[in-house]
Amino acid sequence: MTGNIDKLSEKYASNEEKFEFLNDMVLHDKEAQEITAIDALLWLNRANHLVQRFFELILEDNASEEPSDDLVKFLKAAYKDTLKEHHGWIAQHLFTFLSRMCPTRKDLVNVLALERENMEDIVYRDMESFTNKLRENVTFILTFYKENDLENYPKPS
């Protein structure tokens, strides 16, 4: 994610007035037959979509009678729903390996609560608010890419 943010930041810094909005950068790249902003925003949005879906699954499970402490299954399901189709065999297997490092629910909530006790309700409330805003952004960018035929934009030769 950081690499894609860096690419977009560099592009923005090259002409802050012209690239006031991300859309401006992406449409400029399309017109100039470049790929930097198109590709960077696409992959950043895909990563954000993964986070959004992961949090949605955690929130859905949290509403159940017995929430699971094991979040690996939610991370794997979020990956399957969002990124898997865009990754090759090696990246898929690397993700499977790395997903084993997913924290437990208790550990995640503890980190998100900045290690303060009795903050679970606040963490889940904030997670839901964040997830709703993230969903709006992810959906907007997905729609923007579809409307501008950028989903499978060809990379220059």
Side-chain angles (χ1 to χ4, degrees), residues 38 42 46 142 145-153:
I38 295 170
L42 177 70
R46 287 174 177 168
L142 287 171
Y145 270 64
K146 284 179 184 173
E147 288 173 349
N148 290 282
D149 197 29
L150 295 167
E151 291 176 291
N152 298 305
Y153 187 75

Side-chain angles (χ1 to χ4, degrees), residues 25-85:
M25 281 190 268
V26 170
L27 293 175
H28 172 269
D29 270 15
K30 183 179 180 184
E31 186 177 309
Q33 296 184 334
E34 296 176 8
I35 191 75
T36 304
I38 295 170
D39 197 54
L41 183 58
L42 177 70
W43 281 100
L44 181 59
N45 197 53
R46 287 174 177 168
N48 282 333
H49 195 192
L50 172 73
V51 172
Q52 170 210 324
R53 187 68 188 128
F54 179 54
F55 282 0
E56 285 172 346
L57 293 168
I58 291 171
L59 290 165
E60 288 170 14
D61 183 64
N62 191 57
S64 70
E65 288 189 27
E66 290 188 41
S68 174
D69 198 43
D70 180 12
L71 301 181
V72 173
K73 61 186 171 188
F74 302 128
L75 183 58
K76 286 181 176 181
Y79 178 75
K80 182 180 176 192
D81 293 347
T82 60
L83 282 177
K84 186 175 181 178
E85 70 179 288

Side-chain angles (χ1 to χ4, degrees), residues 2 4-5 11 17-18 29 45 49 57 59 63-64 70 74-75 79 82 86 89 92 105 110 115:
T2 303
N4 290 315
I5 293 169
K11 183 86 170 183
E17 190 174 302
K18 184 176 184 176
D29 270 15
N45 197 53
H49 195 192
L57 293 168
L59 290 165
S64 70
D70 180 12
F74 302 128
L75 183 58
Y79 178 75
T82 60
H86 306 291
W89 183 84
Q92 289 177 17
R105 176 184 299 273
N110 188 43
E115 299 190 14

